[in-house]
Every structure is written in structure tokens, then in C-alpha cells.
Amino acid sequence: MRFSTIAVHAGQRPDPHTGAVCVPVALTSTFAMDGIGQLRGEFEYARSNNPSRHALELSIAAIEFGKHALAFASGQAASTAILDLLKPGDEIVATPNIYGGTYRLFHKVYDKYNIKISIPTDTTPSAISNAITKKTVLVWGESPSNPLLDLFDITETAELIKNFRNEKGVTPLLVIDNTFPSPVFQNPLQLGADIVTHSCTKYIGGHSDVIAGAVVVNDSELYEQLKFYQNAAGAVPGPLNCYLLQRGIRTLPLRMKKHEENVYKVAEFLRKNSSVEKVFFPGFTDFPRHELVAKQMRGLSGMVSFVLRGNIENVKNFFAGLNLIILAESLGGPETLICHPATMTHAALPESERNKIGITDNLIRLSVGIEDADDIIDDLNNALNSVVV
Ligand SMILES: *Cc1c(COP(=O)(O)O)cnc(C)c1O
């Protein structure tokens, strides 16, 4: 079946008992047994598994074209499950300008387990593979990255990593945080990645009303390991949140199409505005490695970042001049959200690190929503006009 059909039907067929067309929300923490060791159905205790989460995991595996999916209470809980595959002394190679919370998780939570993170300055496959050592267990990447929308060649990087064996004789696993493109526009498992992680809070949920995450893999052994951790550590989403995510998935392809249509218009507008110094948008033909959009993606989500001319006061005035667009963390909702990475999503990075990778005080990140593009542009235009420098 084609993507839109999968999004509507996978994991969401009518309930065999009642015929309910939508998956019933299973608000129960536990399941009656018929006797010792005799489950009545598939389920025993809702942390281990439950009908709502099971259905959602089938949906997410299907839209990511993977064999197995696991749902978590947040994107960070999903990332933590992957990091639990590490042991003290192991190393991670991560691409530059990943999500600030992931950076914080690596540096402030996992470094006490003696886990080293190395971040190459460049994202060419050779720069990434040159950072791999005998202790590397994971290579962690975002493409397009947060917030500068850097692209890296996932297929070529996966090919290079395959040649490595760490001191345990194991090939490092390639993890892709696929939150930004969503499964509609990129499927990293098909490009050679081993693990895909999502903040379902963003495009998958798509309505700014739920916090959740997911991990998708093909390898059954890896799945069993992660599934054990999911139950043992227990950072699982509740049944209502699972329902909301499945509801979001049904319209995901439609929404992504509108986000994409709008982001091209907004990016073009920003590029022509004299108060804007620079626009980061992979859809521009002169964007670094633009050819990867056609090579490994089917389109672009609503993300665009830009640098405003002037100083931090101009940035503050610009934000104050917005009417429609909402200053808030997060992305991927129907409403256009704007954010100041240096003090918001990426505040966890030390200033020197931020400046090194280009997350300066004048950098602004926009999650273009699904409103009418002209209204988004009018609002940006008014705010930009009020800060002419
Ligand atoms: C938001 C985000 C996360 C974290 O997800 P939560 O659901 O907020 O825990 C991870 N990666 C990326 C790229 C994100 O945008």
C-alpha cells in the first residue's frame, strides 16, 4: 500500500469484537487472568503492554517502514532507551547541532557513566567515520538537524560505518533522530540506519497536545533488548496519549504536504527581506548538500531558521512585533511557532559551543504551521518592518 493508506489503516483496523472503526482507548492498568499463568488475552499489565500502545506501535512501525516500534512517554525517554544499550567506557559519535536536550542528556546524564561523546566539526560521511574509535558503540545523527537544518548523507555514512568493528567486535549502530522530516519525508531504516528515534510530540502527534516518543528498528534482537528496557524502566505513554498519536498519524501525510507548501513560501519571503541576514533552508539550491533532499528525502517539513540583522534588542523587538505567530518551544503543530534557540531549545549548550556551531543570539527558528501562508508572511513582514536596522 501507499503511504497515505498506511497512515490511515496500519494498526487502526476496525475492532474485531465491536466493529469500532477507531481503536478503543483501553483505560485499564491491568488485565484479568483466568488462572495462575493463564492470561485471558494478549495483555497482563499495562506498563508491559496494552491495546492502545500496541496499536500505536503497529502504526509507527508501518509508517517508518520498520519491523518493530516501541512507544515512550517522551522523545527523551525514547532516546534514553537507546542510550541504555551503552556500558561505561563506551563512546558516542554525534553530528553537530543536534537537539539541545539530547546534547544535555549526553553531557549531563550519561557522562557520569564514563560515556564519552565526540562531535566532529563537519558532517561529511568521512568526518563522521573519522571520529569513530575502538570504543564507539553509537553514531547519533539528525538530518535535517536542529536548528540549522544541516544535512548529512545517511546512506553513505551507514556504508562507511559498516567497515568498523569496535573492541567488542561489533559494528557501531547508526541512530537517526527523524523528528524533523517525519516518516512522511524520510525513512532512515531504508537508508541503512539501525535505529530511528522520534519525538512524537512534534509532527507525528501534530496538534501540540501530547508529549511522546518512539523508537523503530528492524533487528529483532535489538527490539527485544529495547522492549525489555521499556517495561523495566517504564517510561511509557498512557492510553489517551496513544490514541491522540494514532489520530495524528491518520492526517500526517496531509499535514506534511501543507507544512511543505508553506515553508517554501516563507523561506522565499525571508530570503528577500533586507532585515534578514541569512536563511537556513535545505530547499534552496545553494544550501550546502542540497542534493541530499532529492537523494534521501521525499520533501521538507515546516522548519526554517534565519539570522536577523542587528543585535539582541532587534531580535526582542521582532518577537514583540509578532501577532499571529506564537513564541514557544516545540514544533510540528498546526500553528506557526517561533523560537530563539540560544535561550530556549539550545540553552543547555555552553555559549562557546553554541557560537562554534552557529547558534548565535540572532538565530531564529520557525516551525511553519498549516495556516494560510499569506497570513504567516504578513505577520513576519509586520514584525520585520518594525525592526529595520
Ligand atoms: C523535541 C525533540 C526531542 C525531544 O522530544 P520530547 O518529546 O520533547 O522529549 C528530540 N529530538 C528532536 C529533534 C526534537 O525536536
Side-chain angles (χ1 to χ4, degrees), residues 3 6-7 9-12 53-71 178 183-184 186-190 196 198 200 204 213-219 223 246 249 252 298:
F3 197 98
I6 294 169
H9 291 284
Q12 329 205 32
R53 197 175 84 219
H54 178 63
L56 171 66
E57 290 174 345
L58 292 177
S59 297
I60 293 178
I63 57 173
E64 204 41 284
F65 298 99
K67 282 209 182 90
H68 312 282
L70 292 159
N178 207 35
V184 175
Q186 182 170 277
N187 300 113
L189 295 177
Q190 293 189 324
V196 168
H198 275 285
C200 303
I204 290 181
V215 174
V216 193
V217 296
N218 280 331
D219 184 86
Y223 169 67
Q246 272 202 309
I249 288 170
L252 183 61
R298 289 184 293 271

mmCIF file of all heavy atoms in Angstrom, residues 3 6-7 9-12 53-71 178 183-184 186-190 196 198 200 204 213-219 223 246 249 252 298:
data_model
loop_
_atom_site.group_PDB
_atom_site.id
_atom_site.type_symbol
_atom_site.label_atom_id
_atom_site.label_comp_id
_atom_site.label_asym_id
_atom_site.label_seq_id
_atom_site.Cartn_x
_atom_site.Cartn_y
_atom_site.Cartn_z
ATOM 1 N N PHE A 3 1.784 5.342 1.074
ATOM 2 C CA PHE A 3 1.958 5.941 2.396
ATOM 3 C C PHE A 3 0.652 6.420 3.040
ATOM 4 O O PHE A 3 0.362 6.114 4.199
ATOM 5 C CB PHE A 3 2.972 7.102 2.326
ATOM 6 C CG PHE A 3 3.477 7.469 3.677
ATOM 7 C CD1 PHE A 3 4.698 6.995 4.139
ATOM 8 C CD2 PHE A 3 2.715 8.247 4.545
ATOM 9 C CE1 PHE A 3 5.148 7.300 5.416
ATOM 10 C CE2 PHE A 3 3.157 8.549 5.821
ATOM 11 C CZ PHE A 3 4.372 8.074 6.250
ATOM 12 N N ILE A 6 -1.407 3.607 4.351
ATOM 13 C CA ILE A 6 -0.792 3.006 5.544
ATOM 14 C C ILE A 6 -1.072 3.886 6.763
ATOM 15 O O ILE A 6 -1.437 3.401 7.837
ATOM 16 C CB ILE A 6 0.734 2.842 5.325
ATOM 17 C CG1 ILE A 6 0.986 1.826 4.211
ATOM 18 C CG2 ILE A 6 1.433 2.410 6.611
ATOM 19 C CD1 ILE A 6 2.423 1.775 3.730
ATOM 20 N N ALA A 7 -0.941 5.202 6.576
ATOM 21 C CA ALA A 7 -1.147 6.128 7.702
ATOM 22 C C ALA A 7 -2.572 6.037 8.243
ATOM 23 O O ALA A 7 -2.808 6.172 9.442
ATOM 24 C CB ALA A 7 -0.828 7.565 7.266
ATOM 25 N N HIS A 9 -4.655 3.277 7.870
ATOM 26 C CA HIS A 9 -5.126 1.939 8.253
ATOM 27 C C HIS A 9 -4.190 1.100 9.123
ATOM 28 O O HIS A 9 -4.672 0.259 9.874
ATOM 29 C CB HIS A 9 -5.468 1.137 6.993
ATOM 30 C CG HIS A 9 -6.686 1.658 6.286
ATOM 31 N ND1 HIS A 9 -7.962 1.430 6.756
ATOM 32 C CD2 HIS A 9 -6.823 2.418 5.168
ATOM 33 C CE1 HIS A 9 -8.843 2.012 5.943
ATOM 34 N NE2 HIS A 9 -8.171 2.628 4.970
ATOM 35 N N ALA A 10 -2.878 1.288 9.015
ATOM 36 C CA ALA A 10 -1.981 0.376 9.742
ATOM 37 C C ALA A 10 -2.190 0.510 11.248
ATOM 38 O O ALA A 10 -2.189 1.617 11.781
ATOM 39 C CB ALA A 10 -0.522 0.668 9.383
ATOM 40 N N GLY A 11 -2.416 -0.594 11.916
ATOM 41 C CA GLY A 11 -2.641 -0.585 13.365
ATOM 42 C C GLY A 11 -3.982 0.007 13.746
ATOM 43 O O GLY A 11 -4.281 0.167 14.926
ATOM 44 N N GLN A 12 -4.807 0.366 12.777
ATOM 45 C CA GLN A 12 -6.079 1.039 13.083
ATOM 46 C C GLN A 12 -7.238 0.436 12.288
ATOM 47 O O GLN A 12 -8.070 1.160 11.770
ATOM 48 C CB GLN A 12 -6.042 2.536 12.773
ATOM 49 C CG GLN A 12 -4.712 3.228 12.923
ATOM 50 C CD GLN A 12 -4.862 4.717 13.189
ATOM 51 O OE1 GLN A 12 -5.803 5.182 13.811
ATOM 52 N NE2 GLN A 12 -3.921 5.495 12.719
ATOM 53 N N ARG A 53 -1.380 1.065 23.260
ATOM 54 C CA ARG A 53 0.030 1.247 22.876
ATOM 55 C C ARG A 53 0.410 0.254 21.778
ATOM 56 O O ARG A 53 1.155 0.593 20.851
ATOM 57 C CB ARG A 53 0.932 1.085 24.094
ATOM 58 C CG ARG A 53 2.310 1.659 23.855
ATOM 59 C CD ARG A 53 3.148 1.607 25.108
ATOM 60 N NE ARG A 53 3.775 0.320 25.271
ATOM 61 C CZ ARG A 53 3.923 -0.308 26.432
ATOM 62 N NH1 ARG A 53 3.477 0.223 27.549
ATOM 63 N NH2 ARG A 53 4.535 -1.467 26.485
ATOM 64 N N HIS A 54 -0.108 -0.957 21.905
ATOM 65 C CA HIS A 54 0.190 -1.973 20.894
ATOM 66 C C HIS A 54 -0.240 -1.480 19.504
ATOM 67 O O HIS A 54 0.516 -1.572 18.536
ATOM 68 C CB HIS A 54 -0.529 -3.277 21.260
ATOM 69 C CG HIS A 54 -0.317 -4.368 20.261
ATOM 70 N ND1 HIS A 54 0.927 -4.902 20.002
ATOM 71 C CD2 HIS A 54 -1.192 -5.006 19.446
ATOM 72 C CE1 HIS A 54 0.810 -5.835 19.066
ATOM 73 N NE2 HIS A 54 -0.468 -5.913 18.711
ATOM 74 N N ALA A 55 -1.465 -0.933 19.436
ATOM 75 C CA ALA A 55 -1.984 -0.440 18.151
ATOM 76 C C ALA A 55 -1.109 0.699 17.629
ATOM 77 O O ALA A 55 -0.750 0.751 16.444
ATOM 78 C CB ALA A 55 -3.428 0.025 18.324
ATOM 79 N N LEU A 56 -0.728 1.616 18.517
ATOM 80 C CA LEU A 56 0.120 2.742 18.114
ATOM 81 C C LEU A 56 1.471 2.248 17.596
ATOM 82 O O LEU A 56 1.990 2.746 16.590
ATOM 83 C CB LEU A 56 0.335 3.685 19.307
ATOM 84 C CG LEU A 56 1.380 4.781 19.073
ATOM 85 C CD1 LEU A 56 0.908 5.763 18.001
ATOM 86 C CD2 LEU A 56 1.698 5.529 20.370
ATOM 87 N N GLU A 57 2.045 1.264 18.283
ATOM 88 C CA GLU A 57 3.361 0.767 17.862
ATOM 89 C C GLU A 57 3.281 0.129 16.469
ATOM 90 O O GLU A 57 4.209 0.263 15.663
ATOM 91 C CB GLU A 57 3.920 -0.193 18.925
ATOM 92 C CG GLU A 57 4.319 0.579 20.202
ATOM 93 C CD GLU A 57 4.758 -0.280 21.376
ATOM 94 O OE1 GLU A 57 4.506 -1.514 21.348
ATOM 95 O OE2 GLU A 57 5.337 0.278 22.331
ATOM 96 N N LEU A 58 2.160 -0.523 16.174
ATOM 97 C CA LEU A 58 1.982 -1.072 14.815
ATOM 98 C C LEU A 58 1.923 0.067 13.789
ATOM 99 O O LEU A 58 2.539 -0.013 12.721
ATOM 100 C CB LEU A 58 0.696 -1.904 14.728
ATOM 101 C CG LEU A 58 0.659 -3.220 15.523
ATOM 102 C CD1 LEU A 58 -0.720 -3.883 15.380
ATOM 103 C CD2 LEU A 58 1.756 -4.173 15.057
ATOM 104 N N SER A 59 1.201 1.133 14.133
ATOM 105 C CA SER A 59 1.099 2.285 13.209
ATOM 106 C C SER A 59 2.468 2.903 12.944
ATOM 107 O O SER A 59 2.823 3.180 11.795
ATOM 108 C CB SER A 59 0.220 3.398 13.801
ATOM 109 O OG SER A 59 -1.081 2.977 13.983
ATOM 110 N N ILE A 60 3.214 3.131 14.030
ATOM 111 C CA ILE A 60 4.508 3.823 13.869
ATOM 112 C C ILE A 60 5.501 2.956 13.097
ATOM 113 O O ILE A 60 6.203 3.443 12.217
ATOM 114 C CB ILE A 60 5.070 4.270 15.235
ATOM 115 C CG1 ILE A 60 4.161 5.360 15.822
ATOM 116 C CG2 ILE A 60 6.505 4.801 15.094
ATOM 117 C CD1 ILE A 60 4.566 5.875 17.185
ATOM 118 N N ALA A 61 5.524 1.644 13.389
ATOM 119 C CA ALA A 61 6.425 0.753 12.639
ATOM 120 C C ALA A 61 6.070 0.825 11.150
ATOM 121 O O ALA A 61 6.954 0.904 10.289
ATOM 122 C CB ALA A 61 6.317 -0.678 13.160
ATOM 123 N N ALA A 62 4.772 0.820 10.852
ATOM 124 C CA ALA A 62 4.340 0.794 9.449
ATOM 125 C C ALA A 62 4.714 2.079 8.715
ATOM 126 O O ALA A 62 5.232 2.028 7.592
ATOM 127 C CB ALA A 62 2.834 0.562 9.374
ATOM 128 N N ILE A 63 4.498 3.251 9.337
ATOM 129 C CA ILE A 63 4.797 4.499 8.608
ATOM 130 C C ILE A 63 6.305 4.748 8.510
ATOM 131 O O ILE A 63 6.763 5.494 7.658
ATOM 132 C CB ILE A 63 4.087 5.757 9.194
ATOM 133 C CG1 ILE A 63 4.425 5.973 10.668
ATOM 134 C CG2 ILE A 63 2.580 5.675 8.959
ATOM 135 C CD1 ILE A 63 3.898 7.287 11.231
ATOM 136 N N GLU A 64 7.078 4.105 9.387
ATOM 137 C CA GLU A 64 8.537 4.266 9.301
ATOM 138 C C GLU A 64 9.161 3.129 8.472
ATOM 139 O O GLU A 64 10.370 3.051 8.298
ATOM 140 C CB GLU A 64 9.106 4.350 10.722
ATOM 141 C CG GLU A 64 10.436 5.033 10.960
ATOM 142 C CD GLU A 64 10.701 6.307 10.190
ATOM 143 O OE1 GLU A 64 11.001 6.195 8.994
ATOM 144 O OE2 GLU A 64 10.677 7.415 10.767
ATOM 145 N N PHE A 65 8.323 2.247 7.914
ATOM 146 C CA PHE A 65 8.766 1.081 7.143
ATOM 147 C C PHE A 65 9.788 0.252 7.918
ATOM 148 O O PHE A 65 10.794 -0.177 7.373
ATOM 149 C CB PHE A 65 9.296 1.502 5.762
ATOM 150 C CG PHE A 65 8.237 2.160 4.915
ATOM 151 C CD1 PHE A 65 8.165 3.547 4.826
ATOM 152 C CD2 PHE A 65 7.269 1.405 4.276
ATOM 153 C CE1 PHE A 65 7.163 4.165 4.077
ATOM 154 C CE2 PHE A 65 6.267 2.011 3.525
ATOM 155 C CZ PHE A 65 6.211 3.390 3.428
ATOM 156 N N GLY A 66 9.496 0.068 9.218
ATOM 157 C CA GLY A 66 10.362 -0.751 10.064
ATOM 158 C C GLY A 66 9.599 -1.966 10.554
ATOM 159 O O GLY A 66 8.368 -2.026 10.435
ATOM 160 N N LYS A 67 10.332 -2.937 11.131
ATOM 161 C CA LYS A 67 9.664 -4.145 11.625
ATOM 162 C C LYS A 67 9.014 -3.915 12.989
ATOM 163 O O LYS A 67 7.940 -4.420 13.265
ATOM 164 C CB LYS A 67 10.676 -5.289 11.741
ATOM 165 C CG LYS A 67 11.036 -5.948 10.423
ATOM 166 C CD LYS A 67 11.416 -7.419 10.668
ATOM 167 C CE LYS A 67 11.833 -8.095 9.378
ATOM 168 N NZ LYS A 67 13.294 -7.964 9.125
ATOM 169 N N HIS A 68 9.722 -3.186 13.871
ATOM 170 C CA HIS A 68 9.248 -3.062 15.253
ATOM 171 C C HIS A 68 9.302 -1.615 15.722
ATOM 172 O O HIS A 68 10.300 -0.933 15.493
ATOM 173 C CB HIS A 68 10.145 -3.862 16.206
ATOM 174 C CG HIS A 68 10.429 -5.246 15.768
ATOM 175 N ND1 HIS A 68 9.530 -6.278 15.904
ATOM 176 C CD2 HIS A 68 11.532 -5.798 15.180
ATOM 177 C CE1 HIS A 68 10.049 -7.393 15.438
ATOM 178 N NE2 HIS A 68 11.268 -7.134 14.988
ATOM 179 N N ALA A 69 8.262 -1.189 16.443
ATOM 180 C CA ALA A 69 8.300 0.141 17.066
ATOM 181 C C ALA A 69 7.985 0.001 18.549
ATOM 182 O O ALA A 69 7.276 -0.920 18.971
ATOM 183 C CB ALA A 69 7.290 1.072 16.407
ATOM 184 N N LEU A 70 8.533 0.911 19.324
ATOM 185 C CA LEU A 70 8.253 0.970 20.764
ATOM 186 C C LEU A 70 7.904 2.402 21.107
ATOM 187 O O LEU A 70 8.617 3.335 20.698
ATOM 188 C CB LEU A 70 9.498 0.543 21.558
ATOM 189 C CG LEU A 70 9.890 -0.932 21.414
ATOM 190 C CD1 LEU A 70 11.354 -1.132 21.786
ATOM 191 C CD2 LEU A 70 8.996 -1.809 22.279
ATOM 192 N N ALA A 71 6.816 2.594 21.831
ATOM 193 C CA ALA A 71 6.392 3.952 22.183
ATOM 194 C C ALA A 71 6.865 4.296 23.592
ATOM 195 O O ALA A 71 6.908 3.438 24.482
ATOM 196 C CB ALA A 71 4.880 4.065 22.081
ATOM 197 N N ASN A 178 14.668 11.180 13.661
ATOM 198 C CA ASN A 178 13.926 11.525 12.436
ATOM 199 C C ASN A 178 12.749 12.478 12.707
ATOM 200 O O ASN A 178 11.828 12.564 11.915
ATOM 201 C CB ASN A 178 13.418 10.229 11.793
ATOM 202 C CG ASN A 178 13.224 10.339 10.287
ATOM 203 O OD1 ASN A 178 13.980 11.027 9.605
ATOM 204 N ND2 ASN A 178 12.200 9.668 9.770
ATOM 205 N N PRO A 183 8.215 10.651 9.293
ATOM 206 C CA PRO A 183 8.293 9.480 8.404
ATOM 207 C C PRO A 183 7.727 9.750 7.012
ATOM 208 O O PRO A 183 7.973 8.982 6.086
ATOM 209 C CB PRO A 183 7.430 8.426 9.121
ATOM 210 C CG PRO A 183 7.374 8.871 10.544
ATOM 211 C CD PRO A 183 7.414 10.366 10.497
ATOM 212 N N VAL A 184 6.981 10.833 6.848
ATOM 213 C CA VAL A 184 6.425 11.134 5.521
ATOM 214 C C VAL A 184 7.551 11.469 4.537
ATOM 215 O O VAL A 184 7.506 11.078 3.377
ATOM 216 C CB VAL A 184 5.418 12.301 5.602
ATOM 217 C CG1 VAL A 184 4.936 12.708 4.213
ATOM 218 C CG2 VAL A 184 4.238 11.920 6.483
ATOM 219 N N GLN A 186 11.121 11.092 5.183
ATOM 220 C CA GLN A 186 12.404 10.374 5.256
ATOM 221 C C GLN A 186 12.233 9.110 6.087
ATOM 222 O O GLN A 186 11.612 9.155 7.143
ATOM 223 C CB GLN A 186 13.459 11.290 5.894
ATOM 224 C CG GLN A 186 14.860 10.693 5.995
ATOM 225 C CD GLN A 186 15.882 11.746 6.407
ATOM 226 O OE1 GLN A 186 16.384 12.492 5.580
ATOM 227 N NE2 GLN A 186 16.182 11.822 7.697
ATOM 228 N N ASN A 187 12.801 8.011 5.601
ATOM 229 C CA ASN A 187 12.740 6.744 6.335
ATOM 230 C C ASN A 187 14.153 6.187 6.488
ATOM 231 O O ASN A 187 14.626 5.416 5.646
ATOM 232 C CB ASN A 187 11.843 5.735 5.605
ATOM 233 C CG ASN A 187 10.419 6.245 5.465
ATOM 234 O OD1 ASN A 187 9.964 6.522 4.359
ATOM 235 N ND2 ASN A 187 9.718 6.405 6.571
ATOM 236 N N PRO A 188 14.844 6.565 7.578
ATOM 237 C CA PRO A 188 16.265 6.225 7.724
ATOM 238 C C PRO A 188 16.570 4.717 7.722
ATOM 239 O O PRO A 188 17.659 4.324 7.296
ATOM 240 C CB PRO A 188 16.648 6.845 9.070
ATOM 241 C CG PRO A 188 15.675 7.958 9.253
ATOM 242 C CD PRO A 188 14.385 7.456 8.663
ATOM 243 N N LEU A 189 15.642 3.874 8.171
ATOM 244 C CA LEU A 189 15.945 2.431 8.161
ATOM 245 C C LEU A 189 16.158 1.959 6.728
ATOM 246 O O LEU A 189 17.003 1.099 6.466
ATOM 247 C CB LEU A 189 14.824 1.616 8.823
ATOM 248 C CG LEU A 189 14.598 1.842 10.320
ATOM 249 C CD1 LEU A 189 13.406 1.025 10.810
ATOM 250 C CD2 LEU A 189 15.839 1.501 11.150
ATOM 251 N N GLN A 190 15.420 2.552 5.803
ATOM 252 C CA GLN A 190 15.575 2.173 4.391
ATOM 253 C C GLN A 190 16.872 2.733 3.805
ATOM 254 O O GLN A 190 17.305 2.308 2.743
ATOM 255 C CB GLN A 190 14.388 2.693 3.578
ATOM 256 C CG GLN A 190 13.085 1.998 3.948
ATOM 257 C CD GLN A 190 11.951 2.355 2.998
ATOM 258 O OE1 GLN A 190 11.862 3.484 2.519
ATOM 259 N NE2 GLN A 190 11.082 1.397 2.738
ATOM 260 N N VAL A 196 15.796 4.254 14.516
ATOM 261 C CA VAL A 196 15.189 5.567 14.300
ATOM 262 C C VAL A 196 14.529 5.976 15.604
ATOM 263 O O VAL A 196 13.872 5.166 16.259
ATOM 264 C CB VAL A 196 14.138 5.514 13.172
ATOM 265 C CG1 VAL A 196 13.308 6.787 13.132
ATOM 266 C CG2 VAL A 196 14.815 5.288 11.836
ATOM 267 N N HIS A 198 12.096 9.119 17.476
ATOM 268 C CA HIS A 198 11.205 10.238 17.182
ATOM 269 C C HIS A 198 10.773 10.921 18.464
ATOM 270 O O HIS A 198 10.469 10.257 19.449
ATOM 271 C CB HIS A 198 9.902 9.744 16.523
ATOM 272 C CG HIS A 198 10.000 9.561 15.055
ATOM 273 N ND1 HIS A 198 10.014 10.615 14.180
ATOM 274 C CD2 HIS A 198 10.108 8.442 14.302
ATOM 275 C CE1 HIS A 198 10.109 10.154 12.946
ATOM 276 N NE2 HIS A 198 10.174 8.837 12.987
ATOM 277 N N CYS A 200 7.527 12.159 19.118
ATOM 278 C CA CYS A 200 6.170 12.137 18.529
ATOM 279 C C CYS A 200 5.377 13.363 18.954
ATOM 280 O O CYS A 200 4.291 13.630 18.437
ATOM 281 C CB CYS A 200 5.420 10.871 18.935
ATOM 282 S SG CYS A 200 6.258 9.373 18.477
ATOM 283 N N ILE A 204 4.369 13.892 14.367
ATOM 284 C CA ILE A 204 3.541 12.682 14.427
ATOM 285 C C ILE A 204 2.259 12.955 15.206
ATOM 286 O O ILE A 204 1.163 12.676 14.738
ATOM 287 C CB ILE A 204 4.345 11.488 14.982
ATOM 288 C CG1 ILE A 204 5.391 11.065 13.942
ATOM 289 C CG2 ILE A 204 3.423 10.313 15.328
ATOM 290 C CD1 ILE A 204 6.260 9.880 14.335
ATOM 291 N N GLY A 213 7.231 9.734 22.548
ATOM 292 C CA GLY A 213 8.370 9.392 21.698
ATOM 293 C C GLY A 213 8.257 7.979 21.181
ATOM 294 O O GLY A 213 7.386 7.218 21.622
ATOM 295 N N ALA A 214 9.134 7.631 20.240
ATOM 296 C CA ALA A 214 9.121 6.269 19.703
ATOM 297 C C ALA A 214 10.496 5.895 19.196
ATOM 298 O O ALA A 214 11.294 6.759 18.812
ATOM 299 C CB ALA A 214 8.107 6.143 18.574
ATOM 300 N N VAL A 215 10.768 4.579 19.209
ATOM 301 C CA VAL A 215 11.982 4.016 18.633
ATOM 302 C C VAL A 215 11.538 2.969 17.624
ATOM 303 O O VAL A 215 10.606 2.209 17.902
ATOM 304 C CB VAL A 215 12.844 3.357 19.737
ATOM 305 C CG1 VAL A 215 14.042 2.648 19.131
ATOM 306 C CG2 VAL A 215 13.303 4.393 20.761
ATOM 307 N N VAL A 216 12.176 2.944 16.459
ATOM 308 C CA VAL A 216 11.828 1.955 15.434
ATOM 309 C C VAL A 216 13.102 1.222 15.001
ATOM 310 O O VAL A 216 14.138 1.866 14.773
ATOM 311 C CB VAL A 216 11.166 2.614 14.195
ATOM 312 C CG1 VAL A 216 10.529 1.555 13.302
ATOM 313 C CG2 VAL A 216 10.115 3.644 14.602
ATOM 314 N N VAL A 217 13.034 -0.100 14.918
ATOM 315 C CA VAL A 217 14.183 -0.910 14.488
ATOM 316 C C VAL A 217 13.703 -2.060 13.605
ATOM 317 O O VAL A 217 12.524 -2.419 13.632
ATOM 318 C CB VAL A 217 14.962 -1.513 15.696
ATOM 319 C CG1 VAL A 217 15.579 -0.435 16.561
ATOM 320 C CG2 VAL A 217 14.077 -2.425 16.542
ATOM 321 N N ASN A 218 14.643 -2.647 12.863
ATOM 322 C CA ASN A 218 14.335 -3.864 12.099
ATOM 323 C C ASN A 218 14.847 -5.106 12.805
ATOM 324 O O ASN A 218 14.250 -6.169 12.721
ATOM 325 C CB ASN A 218 14.981 -3.789 10.703
ATOM 326 C CG ASN A 218 14.143 -2.941 9.753
ATOM 327 O OD1 ASN A 218 12.924 -2.862 9.897
ATOM 328 N ND2 ASN A 218 14.790 -2.302 8.801
ATOM 329 N N ASP A 219 15.986 -4.978 13.501
ATOM 330 C CA ASP A 219 16.645 -6.137 14.097
ATOM 331 C C ASP A 219 15.864 -6.651 15.311
ATOM 332 O O ASP A 219 15.598 -5.901 16.257
ATOM 333 C CB ASP A 219 18.062 -5.717 14.511
ATOM 334 C CG ASP A 219 18.852 -6.889 15.048
ATOM 335 O OD1 ASP A 219 19.451 -7.592 14.218
ATOM 336 O OD2 ASP A 219 18.850 -7.112 16.278
ATOM 337 N N TYR A 223 15.369 -5.157 19.139
ATOM 338 C CA TYR A 223 13.997 -4.878 19.577
ATOM 339 C C TYR A 223 13.743 -5.496 20.946
ATOM 340 O O TYR A 223 13.214 -4.831 21.849
ATOM 341 C CB TYR A 223 13.017 -5.413 18.538
ATOM 342 C CG TYR A 223 11.575 -5.432 18.991
ATOM 343 C CD1 TYR A 223 10.876 -4.244 19.238
ATOM 344 C CD2 TYR A 223 10.901 -6.639 19.173
ATOM 345 C CE1 TYR A 223 9.555 -4.269 19.653
ATOM 346 C CE2 TYR A 223 9.576 -6.675 19.583
ATOM 347 C CZ TYR A 223 8.908 -5.483 19.833
ATOM 348 O OH TYR A 223 7.606 -5.514 20.244
ATOM 349 N N GLN A 246 -2.300 8.193 17.359
ATOM 350 C CA GLN A 246 -2.858 7.463 16.210
ATOM 351 C C GLN A 246 -3.779 8.358 15.399
ATOM 352 O O GLN A 246 -3.815 8.300 14.179
ATOM 353 C CB GLN A 246 -3.629 6.230 16.691
ATOM 354 C CG GLN A 246 -2.715 5.027 16.819
ATOM 355 C CD GLN A 246 -3.470 3.724 16.754
ATOM 356 O OE1 GLN A 246 -4.443 3.543 17.480
ATOM 357 N NE2 GLN A 246 -3.019 2.811 15.917
ATOM 358 N N ILE A 249 -1.589 10.471 13.291
ATOM 359 C CA ILE A 249 -0.947 9.751 12.175
ATOM 360 C C ILE A 249 -1.877 9.676 10.959
ATOM 361 O O ILE A 249 -1.429 9.747 9.821
ATOM 362 C CB ILE A 249 -0.499 8.342 12.648
ATOM 363 C CG1 ILE A 249 0.709 8.485 13.570
ATOM 364 C CG2 ILE A 249 -0.165 7.432 11.462
ATOM 365 C CD1 ILE A 249 1.108 7.212 14.300
ATOM 366 N N LEU A 252 -1.275 12.703 9.029
ATOM 367 C CA LEU A 252 0.134 13.128 8.918
ATOM 368 C C LEU A 252 0.534 13.473 7.471
ATOM 369 O O LEU A 252 1.104 14.550 7.240
ATOM 370 C CB LEU A 252 1.045 12.050 9.524
ATOM 371 C CG LEU A 252 2.534 12.332 9.575
ATOM 372 C CD1 LEU A 252 2.858 13.553 10.421
ATOM 373 C CD2 LEU A 252 3.294 11.115 10.148
ATOM 374 N N ARG A 298 11.759 12.779 0.664
ATOM 375 C CA ARG A 298 10.675 12.961 -0.310
ATOM 376 C C ARG A 298 10.071 14.361 -0.219
ATOM 377 O O ARG A 298 9.126 14.689 -0.934
ATOM 378 C CB ARG A 298 9.585 11.913 -0.065
ATOM 379 C CG ARG A 298 10.003 10.505 -0.454
ATOM 380 C CD ARG A 298 8.869 9.515 -0.279
ATOM 381 N NE ARG A 298 8.519 9.336 1.110
ATOM 382 C CZ ARG A 298 9.075 8.434 1.918
ATOM 383 N NH1 ARG A 298 10.008 7.619 1.454
ATOM 384 N NH2 ARG A 298 8.717 8.336 3.170
#
